Amino acid sequence: MQVFNTLSKRKEEFVPLHPPFVGIYVCGPTVYDDPHLGHGKSYVSFDVVVRFLRAKGYKVRYVQNITDVGHLLDEDGEDRVIKKARLEKLEPVEIAQKYEVRFFRDMDRLNCLRPDISCRASGHLIEMMELVSELLKRGHAYEVNGNVYFDISTFPDYGKLSRRKVEELRKGSRVEVAEDKRHPADFALWKRADERHIMKWPSPWGAGFPGWHLECSSMAMKYLGESIDIHGGGIDNQFPHHECEIAQSESATGKPFVKYWMHNNMVVMDEKKMSKSLGNFVTLDQLFRQYDPMTVRFFILQGHYRSPQEFSDEALQAAGRGLDRLARFREELLSFRNADEAVARSPFKEHKERFYRAMEDDFNTAAALSVLFDMIRDVQEHVFSSNNASAGAFACAVFEELAESILGLSFEKTAGSQGDDVSCLLDYLVEMRRMFRERKQWELADQIRNRLEKIGVVVEDGQTVSRWRKKQS
RNA sequence: GGCGGCGUAGCCAAGUGGCCAAGGCAGAGGUCUGCAAAACCUUUAUUCAGCGGUUCGAAUCCGCUCGCCGCCUCCA
């Protein structure tokens, strides 16, 4: 299996440090606002990575952090969480809690598996301080006025992930350099907090809070060991965040921190990166009012995780239609589910192999997805038209494994669309329409169909039964 | 200014040296149907931003030009 490693800038054969175990750490969200489509792309991408590694038989431990401590926003030392707390008139902890809940709510809707360990930065201050002490002890850090900085001159490899030279960093720098740093590129491990700062902790260097790269190093190493297999995150975190993680971790342990660095690309909107700070974002919650979460997942899967992805309503609608077709196909295939598949001599083994080959080539979900659509045509020929039950059963099992287990597409009806009062009424209206049709009272039958269409419900007449469904978007 | 990347049909998007350039959506024609919808079948880029070069052979490698983006500040 080939994985693109940002460290080497090429695809490498994937060999875990301690097979069959795989430790993967993915940078989690800062919980101060609702997650947007960009978060969706990132976490769906890594969800598929985890799902596929498990399908390949690896024992995966998936760790993801929750950043609830907040990072520096400006020179005043106010961080995003605190700023939001002031705006919403809540405690910082309430803000973090609130948006953590909403983050998982949206990830659940996208059918992302929960991480095996979801760890909050605020619960790991001890570990972070220990890391700072270790770096001080080893001479990789220095203390000035209650601030502790990492001394970049002690780590010659600094820049190896993002291909940057320390000398070049200074020139393009857009922020003012803190005066007490020895070198402008030195970064904070611990920051002193004044009285106004609400989120602060006592430490050997006085009251303060951790630097923004520290939590990932501490928690990744705590739960996955000093060297981990995969570290993932957004490409926009490559520098400085991941670069600093490497410097801290490797200086403290003397061991390689990460074997494979994986970075997902951005969602693009109006020709610009979708992000909070630019203001051109659409939250998942907003999106889900218009599109089914699975449509969003399907949309994400249609692109490659390392490519930028263009967001537009047209693209989302197209994704919805494509997913619809897959869902109908799956429903038809489901009638073969329990047939005897043991005797199957089927062409679908080949589809499975093609799918795996695509996924083994750096998780090419777009190519993998296309195999599913090829399957539609071939199942039509080898199962539906010949009513071949054993081939159908095999195809059904293959489809469930590929589409549902690995790609994480869920075709179960969303709650509220089944068994509630509205559904019962709709069922009755469709039944009524059927009676009109049997008596060839087309006008009355059409009237029902037209009226339902107006409230976004489509009626479809099949060979034997009529069905209704909610129209997407 | 430094580093990195992108430009493939109306839209989204795979493909990075060699069968006719995946797949989805939209479009066109057909089958089915009371009419629709859905489904199914067929079809849709002599061409991969442009110009040169390397090669028996390039969308894929190299050079230049044009356009665009990301990172260098928190960001998935």
Side-chain angles (χ1 to χ4, degrees):
Chain A
M1 185 166 76
Q2 301 279 305
V3 173
F4 186 91
N5 190 350
T6 313
L7 214 47
S8 63
K9 295 231 130 224
R10 60 171 57 132
K11 288 179 190 170
E12 294 175 15
E13 184 62 28
F14 180 69
V15 183
L17 264 9
H18 310 287
F21 301 101
V22 173
I24 174 167
Y25 183 94
V26 175
C27 281
T30 305
V31 281
Y32 71 98
D33 210 346
D34 277 330
H36 57 69
L37 181 55
H39 296 96
K41 177 172 165 73
S42 183
Y43 299 116
V44 165
S45 297
F46 287 110
D47 179 57
V48 172
V49 167
V50 169
R51 284 170 180 271
F52 187 63
L53 289 172
R54 288 193 176 134
K56 293 276 290 174
Y58 291 112
K59 305 261 180 269
V60 181
R61 177 182 283 175
Y62 178 19
V63 180
Q64 196 182 86
N65 63 299
I66 293 286
T67 300
D68 58 350
V69 169
H71 301 322
L72 277 183
L73 231 192
D74 47 46
E75 287 305 306
D76 295 344
E78 187 171 51
D79 69 47
R80 292 183 177 282
V81 177
I82 293 175
K83 187 178 183 187
K84 189 72 176 213
R86 209 184 59 228
L87 286 171
E88 296 197 15
K89 295 190 168 41
L90 294 172
E91 284 292 319
V93 181
E94 283 179 291
I95 289 295
Q97 190 89 2
K98 174 180 169 184
Y99 288 106
E100 181 183 325
V101 167
R102 292 162 80 107
F103 171 75
F104 281 119
R105 177 199 62 192
D106 289 344
M107 291 308 132
D108 288 348
R109 295 200 281 199
L110 282 172
N111 205 27
C112 289
L113 300 171
R114 293 280 181 116
D116 299 300
I117 296 175
S118 168
C119 40
R120 295 177 190 164
S122 61
H124 297 76
L125 266 297
I126 303 285
E127 287 84 349
M128 290 191 241
M129 287 183 214
E130 277 172 356
L131 188 55
V132 175
S133 298
E134 182 66 23
L135 288 166
L136 281 165
K137 199 174 89 191
R138 287 181 174 238
H140 287 287
Y142 55 93
E143 185 195 345
V144 189
N145 301 325
N147 296 316
V148 182
Y149 295 104
F150 184 88
D151 183 350
I152 226 150
S153 67
T154 66
F155 190 71
D157 275 350
Y158 191 79
K160 70 177 172 182
L161 180 71
S162 55
R163 319 273 139 147
R164 267 158 232 256
K165 294 188 185 76
V166 175
E167 313 86 68
E168 302 290 352
L169 288 173
R170 190 174 196 167
K171 295 178 188 166
S173 181
R174 280 176 278 160
V175 285
E176 277 184 44
V177 176
E179 285 189 355
D180 49 5
K181 284 187 190 177
R182 288 183 196 162
H183 186 283
D186 288 351
F187 57 89
L189 296 169
W190 188 264
K191 289 289 281 181
R192 184 192 62 226
D194 57 28
E195 306 75 44
R196 288 168 42 225
H197 205 95
I198 315 172
M199 294 177 94
K200 59 186 169 190
W201 292 264
S203 82
W205 318 283
F209 53 94
W212 34 289
H213 314 299
L214 205 56
E215 59 178 278
C216 288
S217 289
S218 296
M219 297 192 284
M221 291 198 283
K222 170 163 184 172
Y223 297 115
L224 297 171
E226 294 180 337
S227 292
I228 70 181
D229 292 300
I230 300 173
H231 188 132
I235 198 171
D236 51 353
N237 268 332
Q238 202 179 107
F239 187 90
H241 186 52
H242 294 156
E243 198 69 71
C244 295
E245 276 187 52
I246 293 174
Q248 290 168 347
S249 308
E250 300 193 349
S251 296
T253 67
K255 295 174 188 161
F257 177 44
V258 171
K259 190 164 183 192
Y260 304 94
W261 279 96
M262 293 180 69
H263 290 98
N264 68 280
N265 218 311
M266 303 289 106
V267 173
V268 176
M269 188 178 177
D270 302 328
E271 300 188 324
K272 287 216 172 56
K273 164 186 155 187
M274 178 178 286
S275 78
K276 287 274 164 57
S277 38
L278 290 173
N280 62 332
F281 62 91
V282 47
T283 68
L284 289 169
D285 194 46
Q286 287 169 338
L287 215 50
F288 293 161
R289 280 177 212 153
Q290 204 178 347
Y291 304 101
D292 187 276
M294 276 309 107
T295 292
V296 176
R297 186 171 177 108
F298 181 92
F299 167 76
I300 292 165
L301 260 22
Q302 269 193 313
H304 188 95
Y305 77 92
R306 277 193 291 117
S307 301
Q309 192 163 20
E310 202 79 36
F311 166 83
S312 69
D313 276 306
E314 203 181 350
L316 258 296
Q317 278 162 22
R321 299 246 168 79
L323 180 69
D324 253 14
R325 203 175 134 211
L326 225 45
R328 288 208 182 81
F329 164 73
R330 180 241 183 201
E331 204 170 314
E332 204 174 344
L333 192 56
L334 231 44
S335 58
F336 292 90
R337 194 185 217 160
N338 295 318
D340 180 18
E341 63 167 288
V343 293
R345 281 297 322 131
S346 85
F348 307 116
K349 242 192 170 90
E350 186 203 321
H351 293 81
K352 184 172 168 174
E353 282 164 13
R354 277 177 54 211
F355 182 97
Y356 267 76
R357 242 179 285 136
M359 291 299 287
E360 281 165 1
D361 183 12
D362 195 31
F363 308 98
N364 192 337
T365 54
L369 211 47
S370 77
V371 176
L372 259 30
F373 282 93
D374 289 343
M375 239 181 115
I376 294 183
R377 197 178 43 240
D378 294 324
V379 165
Q380 204 67 39
E381 187 184 335
H382 298 286
V383 178
F384 295 159
S385 45
S386 56
N387 208 25
N388 184 338
S390 63
F394 187 75
C396 191
V398 167
F399 187 83
E400 282 185 342
E401 182 195 338
L402 306 185
E404 297 176 57
S405 301
I406 296 177
L407 293 183
L409 294 169
S410 165
F411 296 101
E412 298 309 320
K413 291 235 162 138
T414 41
S417 67
Q418 222 171 10
D420 58 25
D421 291 350
V422 175
S423 301
C424 290
L425 271 170
L426 286 168
D427 286 343
Y428 178 60
L429 281 169
V430 170
E431 195 185 320
M432 230 162 93
R433 171 177 145 76
R434 203 199 66 216
M435 293 190 291
F436 286 132
R437 291 182 66 223
E438 277 167 4
R439 291 168 204 173
K440 300 200 190 299
Q441 295 178 348
W442 310 125
E443 272 184 37
L444 288 168
D446 288 352
Q447 193 182 321
I448 292 174
R449 189 172 66 194
N450 293 340
R451 285 294 286 271
L452 289 180
E453 168 112 47
K454 274 185 189 157
I455 59 165
V457 175
V458 181
V459 178
E460 291 168 356
D461 304 320
Q463 294 278 33
T464 49
V465 290
S466 296
R467 269 198 292 254
W468 62 268
R469 67 181 169 87
K470 289 217 167 130
K471 198 158 67 178
Q472 276 264 321
S473 72

